Amino acid sequence: MLKKSERTTKFIIETVAPIFNTKGYTATSMHDITSATGLTKGAIYGNFRNKEELAIAAFNKNVNDLLVSIATHQKKGKTPLQKLLLIADFYRNYYNYSQQLGGCPILNVGVDATNQDTDLIINVRNVIEKTQSNIAKLVDMGKSAGEIKNAADSMEFARKLYGRIQGAVFMMYVMNDPKYMSSAMDDVGVMIRRELAIN
């Protein structure tokens, strides 16, 4: 059972996570935070040292929810190749899913934090590197299982796959059209089978 202070911290993070994700770090004011939570500025700073620490916690919460959802979706697959294809399958419905978060946290915070002097960008880069590493591990597991070509460069493929996904996320949101994502995921499925699968 969570202590009262832990419940308050959790409440603050869950309440402001969509706000930071939608408005960005700079545009999110302390007034936004206190209005949304109903807490005073002193209560907020009693749980977080500063706005940046809260923004990082909010980002981590959004990203963790996203990664758990992807991992859960991948459990439908039994083999590494199937799990790779299920990544593309998950992103087909990403527009609706990410609306609950206020948009794509990796894209939104990544673009916003690139131009800010904060540790947020370090956190975004760490998530991207971790995600690409996990994709590369699936490729390696597929090689060991004999269903993926040994000649495939695991990390290079992971970068290409994730770059394609995030590019589609950008186009989908800028153009407000989920068809960009569905079309891109068709291409990703073809790419996975063509470049990795042993026929």
Side-chain angles (χ1 to χ4, degrees):
M1 181 135 178
L2 294 176
K3 298 177 183 177
K4 183 179 179 182
S5 60
E6 293 172 331
R7 288 198 304 271
T8 302
T9 299
K10 185 173 183 288
F11 166 73
I12 294 169
I13 293 170
E14 289 177 347
T15 303
V16 304
I19 299 171
F20 271 114
N21 196 30
T22 303
K23 297 187 73 171
Y25 174 74
T26 303
T28 299
S29 66
M30 186 52 63
H31 177 71
D32 293 327
I33 294 167
T34 56
S35 293
T37 59
L39 299 172
T40 64
K41 186 175 179 180
I44 300 296
Y45 284 135
N47 287 272
F48 299 92
R49 286 175 300 172
N50 50 43
K51 179 178 151 185
E52 182 180 4
E53 184 177 67
L54 176 53
I56 290 171
F59 170 73
N60 289 337
K61 190 264 183 209
N62 280 334
V63 167
N64 185 64
D65 289 350
L66 170 60
L67 296 180
V68 166
S69 294
I70 293 172
T72 300
H73 192 69
Q74 285 181 299
K75 288 180 181 178
K76 296 177 182 178
K78 295 181 180 179
T79 71
L81 189 63
Q82 289 173 354
K83 290 178 186 295
L84 285 167
L85 290 166
L86 281 164
I87 294 173
D89 188 61
F90 174 85
Y91 275 97
R92 286 182 184 282
N93 299 309
Y94 190 59
Y95 186 81
N96 292 331
Y97 172 84
S98 59
Q99 291 296 301
Q100 306 166 51
L101 308 177
C104 175
I106 296 164
L107 176 67
N108 289 0
V109 178
V111 171
D112 183 52
T114 298
N115 300 311
Q116 308 299 328
D117 186 23
T118 75
D119 286 338
L120 268 170
I121 191 61
I122 295 171
N123 283 263
V124 176
R125 288 172 181 160
N126 286 342
V127 168
I128 291 171
E129 288 171 0
K130 179 182 176 182
T131 301
Q132 291 177 162
S133 177
N134 287 339
I135 293 169
K137 285 177 185 175
L138 276 176
V139 175
D140 288 335
M141 288 169 62
K143 289 180 185 179
S144 298
E147 67 168 353
I148 288 178
K149 300 170 185 174
N150 282 322
D153 184 324
S154 303
M155 186 51 74
E156 183 59 31
F157 183 84
R159 290 191 187 105
K160 185 194 297 189
L161 174 63
Y162 198 62
R164 185 72 177 93
I165 289 171
Q166 285 302 321
V169 171
F170 173 81
M171 290 301 295
M172 176 181 70
Y173 268 103
V174 170
M175 302 306 291
N176 193 30
D177 187 351
K179 290 178 184 175
Y180 281 95
M181 181 58 75
S182 59
S183 176
M185 292 309 98
D186 287 343
D187 292 343
V188 165
V190 171
M191 181 179 76
I192 290 171
R193 291 185 177 91
R194 183 182 66 238
E195 298 188 21
L196 299 184
I198 295 175
N199 297 323

